[in-house]
Amino acid sequence: MNRSVSGTLSIPALLMTLVATFLAAWLTLGVFGRSDQLIYLWPLTGLQLGLLLPLWQRDWASVLARQAAGAAGLIAGATVAGLPPGIAVMLGLINACEVFLCGWIVSPAVVTFDDLKERTHVLRFGIAAIVAPVIMGSIAAIPVAPVTHQSFLHVATTSVLSDALGIVIIMPVVLFLTSGEYRTFKKLRPYLLRAILTGIAFVVTAVYVFWQNQNPLLYIVFPPMVIMVLAMGLEGAVFSGVVLTIVGGTATSLHHGPLWLAVNASAEHRMVLLQLFLIVSVVTALPVGALLDERRREARSADEARSIYQTLLQNAEDTIILSSFDGTRRYISPAIKTLTGWTPAEFLAMDRMQTFHPDDRDMARLVMESMASGKRQHVIRYRIAQKEGGYRWVEAVARAYFDETSDTVLGYVGTIRDISSLKQTEEIWQMERETLTREKLAMARLANTDALTVLPNRRAFDDALLRQLSRAAAVSVMMIDVDFFKAYNDLYGHQAGDDCLRQIAQALQSKVGRGGDVVARLGGEEFGVLLPGADADGARRVAESMRNAIWELDIPHQSSPLGRITISIGIANWADIREHDTALLIQQADRALYVSKRAGKNRVTIAGAMPVAV
């Protein structure tokens, strides 16, 4: 329990506590009774407790200061009333301890009057009103019994009863006057007529019962008390307790009322019976009043929540639907009219599946079966029917709800949102994505394609060769060069040179047919061929077919000793490309090409099985 040990001490509050306890002690002991007689009602504990509880959790210094002021006021009042100073001091200390014990039991549950409007808090209050008086009243009887010349048991009994009665009567009154919701006229005004009528009826009944001596009519007060409690709740219970205490105590002390019908009973015995009657009446009325107020508060909260819920449903843009799987419970919010054109009643009258597009009904059945089998939530998109014809795209979030006792799935609650505009946007985005993808692929092809020959370019050739690194297979690489091509360009012109290269590219491409084979233009008149999985003999056969294909093109070339366009080819082959550097493989093929050139051109040369470093 966290309490502040410091706070602002209010001098007026301390003086008020001092004066109030002084007057209460003086009036109780000196005016309405004598210090050597029965104390009918001991108000000091209830008075101080009602003043201190609002501070109990937030200002511990003020609590201690007010307790000290209360003890001082009690000691002064008891002394003025005629008690010996020593006894008065002891009573003051005992009363301070009792206030602390009560506060410790009641706090932190009860700080204001409205805190008593809960059954558990009333129970704590009832325990405090019994335990504290029993303990401290018994202790107080030790010094008081010799002074009053009465037995310890008699003094303890009367002290406990008067103390308990004072707590249950006075503390709620003080809390009501300091923090009650209806202590102001503005708050009480709507209930004023009802309070006045029931209050008058109860007061009249109580006065009649306690001022007549002919019949034992104590039970007559209970019907109007019940009406008071029903009409005013806890406030009615507190009011009825105060009225019964004042009327019953005054009448009984003046020898009036049904308690005087007891034969051979002393006045003190009758007062003890009255105290018991009052305690039982108040202890019965307070929990009933608290229960009624608790139920009314819960009902108000439920009404407010229902009102908020209805307001949200009426104004929500999304449609909210509740449906049991057996169709016995169905609800749909008014937003369905905006969504579909049907009113809620019209929509609920339709077969559930008829609201789905025919192509979406199988999906809807699967979702419902899934929820019925225990899956708690689904998010689906479907087309909902329109009153004017056609369908509209919506998104529904459906959550299963369960029976609290058996955990059986009973139905689902869903929210339906119009996503037709979102769907159109998504379709546009999808078309744009597809267009961008096509453009990206086209750009990728352009970036990897030689514009003149439409063969893969050097980048594509290198990428294909790198991909071979991840494969455990043989590979052959050809480097091809057009013989005397510079002289051809000089003699026939660049346009003829471009046409010549295109014909060569087509001829080379026609001689490979496997999916992994690559024929690429590496630049100028140089071509490269990649033959994955081909050994040296296989590569030679392909190379010879390519050389013959170019020869058979019979493209005239007067600057060539052979009189036509020819090519020279160098081949490099490795059994496992992962064991070598691809750059060395290309270099080996280049060296073989150089050998073909040096040997007279128009020929094929295969490099050694292992590359030789340059």
Side-chain angles (χ1 to χ4, degrees):
M1 186 181 298
N2 295 323
R3 295 188 177 97
S4 173
V5 295
S6 62
T8 302
L9 298 179
S10 172
I11 301 301
L14 295 179
L15 290 176
M16 182 186 71
T17 303
L18 179 66
V19 172
T21 52
F22 170 81
L23 291 175
W26 174 60
L27 291 173
T28 302
L29 297 172
V31 177
F32 297 112
R34 298 202 311 272
S35 60
D36 61 342
Q37 289 186 345
L38 170 70
I39 300 173
Y40 159 64
L41 182 141
W42 182 248
L44 273 299
T45 304
L47 175 64
Q48 293 183 78
L49 195 60
L51 294 173
L52 292 178
L53 278 178
L55 304 173
W56 205 272
Q57 291 296 306
R58 56 187 175 87
D59 195 349
W60 190 231
S62 294
V63 170
L64 293 177
R66 288 198 184 189
Q67 274 203 282
L74 191 157
I75 293 169
T79 303
V80 172
L83 281 181
I87 300 298
V89 170
M90 187 170 294
L91 286 179
L93 295 177
I94 291 173
N95 189 80
C97 293
E98 184 176 13
V99 171
F100 180 83
L101 180 59
C102 274
W104 179 76
I105 296 174
V106 173
S107 177
V110 179
V111 176
T112 66
F113 182 79
D114 288 343
D115 291 335
L116 284 173
K117 296 183 177 182
E118 293 186 24
R119 287 167 291 176
T120 55
H121 295 174
V122 171
L123 177 61
R124 291 174 70 104
F125 173 54
I127 292 173
I130 294 172
V131 172
V134 168
I135 295 175
M136 305 314 299
S138 300
I139 296 174
I142 297 174
V144 172
V147 175
T148 58
H149 306 290
Q150 295 173 336
S151 68
F152 169 81
L153 181 61
H154 177 78
V155 174
T157 301
T158 55
S159 297
V160 169
L161 289 175
S162 63
D163 206 358
L165 184 61
I167 292 174
V168 298
I169 294 295
I170 301 300
M171 194 199 87
V173 172
V174 175
L175 285 179
F176 175 79
L177 294 175
T178 56
S179 63
E181 181 182 2
Y182 298 102
R183 69 185 187 277
T184 62
F185 180 76
K186 183 179 180 180
K187 272 283 188 179
L188 183 61
R189 185 175 181 180
Y191 312 97
L192 191 59
L193 179 61
R194 182 172 61 186
I196 290 175
L197 293 177
T198 55
I200 291 174
F202 181 74
V203 171
V204 170
T205 303
V207 170
Y208 170 74
V209 168
F210 280 98
W211 282 87
Q212 58 85 33
N213 295 334
Q214 290 77 30
N215 300 297
L217 300 177
L218 279 177
Y219 58 89
I220 296 297
V221 301
F222 288 111
M225 176 183 282
V226 171
I227 295 174
M228 277 285 297
V229 174
L230 290 175
M232 300 173 61
L234 186 65
E235 286 84 352
V238 172
F239 176 79
S240 62
V242 172
V243 170
L244 275 182
T245 301
I246 295 174
V247 173
T250 303
T252 303
S253 65
L254 296 176
H255 294 201
H256 290 283
L259 293 176
W260 282 94
L261 296 177
V263 180
N264 298 325
S266 65
E268 290 187 359
H269 182 65
R270 290 183 173 89
M271 294 302 285
V272 169
L273 293 177
L274 175 64
Q275 288 173 319
L276 288 173
F277 170 75
L278 292 174
I279 290 174
V280 170
S281 300
V282 174
V283 169
T284 302
L286 287 178
V288 175
L291 175 61
L292 287 173
D293 283 335
E294 188 176 22
R295 293 290 175 83
R296 287 166 181 166
R297 184 168 59 251
E298 291 173 354
R300 285 197 301 269
S301 298
D303 289 340
E304 291 174 1
R306 190 179 300 108
S307 176
I308 293 172
Y309 178 69
Q310 289 294 335
T311 301
L312 291 174
L313 288 180
Q314 294 292 334
N315 295 278
E317 293 185 1
D318 291 352
T319 299
I320 300 173
I321 184 170
L322 180 145
S323 179
S324 58
F325 288 126
D326 59 11
T328 57
R329 293 181 60 196
R330 294 187 71 190
Y331 168 83
I332 195 157
S333 66
I336 192 65
K337 183 172 177 59
T338 303
L339 183 64
T340 65
W342 283 297
T343 65
E346 292 172 338
F347 192 86
L348 292 176
M350 299 170 62
D351 179 73
R352 182 162 26 203
M353 285 300 161
Q354 293 302 315
T355 63
F356 290 85
H357 188 280
D359 294 342
D360 299 330
R361 290 171 188 170
D362 289 340
M363 175 190 64
R365 292 188 184 95
L366 289 174
V367 168
M368 292 181 187
E369 291 173 2
S370 175
M371 284 194 293
S373 64
K375 185 170 182 180
R376 293 182 176 270
Q377 179 171 320
H378 283 277
V379 179
I380 61 171
R381 290 184 173 186
Y382 67 95
R383 287 154 289 184
I384 193 170
Q386 301 293 294
K387 186 175 183 178
E388 300 299 326
Y391 294 86
R392 177 179 293 184
W393 276 101
V394 295
E395 181 179 78
V397 179
R399 295 179 179 86
Y401 66 87
F402 296 77
D403 182 86
E404 295 181 356
T405 56
S406 64
D407 205 33
T408 303
V409 183
L410 299 179
Y412 62 91
V413 178
T415 56
I416 306 173
R417 180 167 58 96
D418 181 7
I419 61 167
S420 53
S421 59
L422 176 62
K423 194 70 176 176
Q424 292 176 356
T425 303
E426 288 180 348
E427 290 175 354
I428 294 173
W429 287 350
Q430 181 64 28
M431 293 174 60
E432 291 178 350
R433 281 196 296 268
E434 292 174 355
T435 301
L436 289 173
T437 300
R438 288 194 297 269
E439 291 176 352
K440 183 178 179 180
L441 291 174
M443 291 178 67
R445 284 194 296 270
L446 289 174
N448 290 282
T449 302
D450 177 63
L452 178 64
T453 63
V454 200
L455 290 177
N457 58 16
R458 183 62 182 255
R459 175 188 293 178
F461 183 80
D462 291 342
D463 289 343
L465 188 57
L466 286 174
R467 285 195 296 271
Q468 286 300 118
L469 287 173
S470 62
R471 301 172 184 172
V475 64
S476 293
V477 172
M478 299 182 193
M479 302 304 291
I480 302 173
D481 189 77
V482 181
D483 299 329
F484 304 107
F485 188 72
K486 183 178 183 303
Y488 185 89
N489 264 341
D490 293 341
L491 180 61
Y492 297 100
H494 288 287
Q495 182 62 47
D498 290 345
D499 292 339
C500 176
L501 290 176
R502 278 192 285 267
Q503 293 182 63
I504 292 172
Q506 292 174 5
L508 296 177
Q509 183 68 44
S510 68
K511 297 305 176 182
V512 295
R514 298 181 306 168
D517 295 343
V518 177
V519 178
R521 183 189 178 200
L522 304 182
E525 68 273 22
E526 187 177 4
F527 294 84
V529 179
L530 178 64
L531 301 174
D535 57 13
D537 290 338
R540 177 187 287 277
R541 287 193 295 271
V542 173
E544 287 293 348
S545 67
M546 288 180 172
R547 187 185 64 79
N548 290 329
I550 302 304
W551 178 267
E552 291 173 358
L553 287 176
D554 195 18
I555 301 174
H557 188 355
Q558 294 180 7
S559 297
S560 171
L562 299 176
R564 64 177 69 185
I565 286 291
T566 59
I567 59 173
S568 297
I569 303 175
I571 301 173
N573 173 266
W574 285 345
D576 188 348
I577 193 172
R578 293 185 303 176
E579 298 177 359
H580 309 285
D581 186 348
T582 56
L584 290 178
L585 181 63
I586 293 175
Q587 189 179 59
Q588 189 69 21
D590 273 334
R591 288 177 61 84
L593 173 62
Y594 179 74
V595 172
S596 293
K597 289 284 191 181
R598 290 281 303 272
K601 302 180 176 59
N602 190 31
R603 65 188 63 238
V604 175
T605 302
I606 299 178
M610 294 296 293
V612 179
V614 178

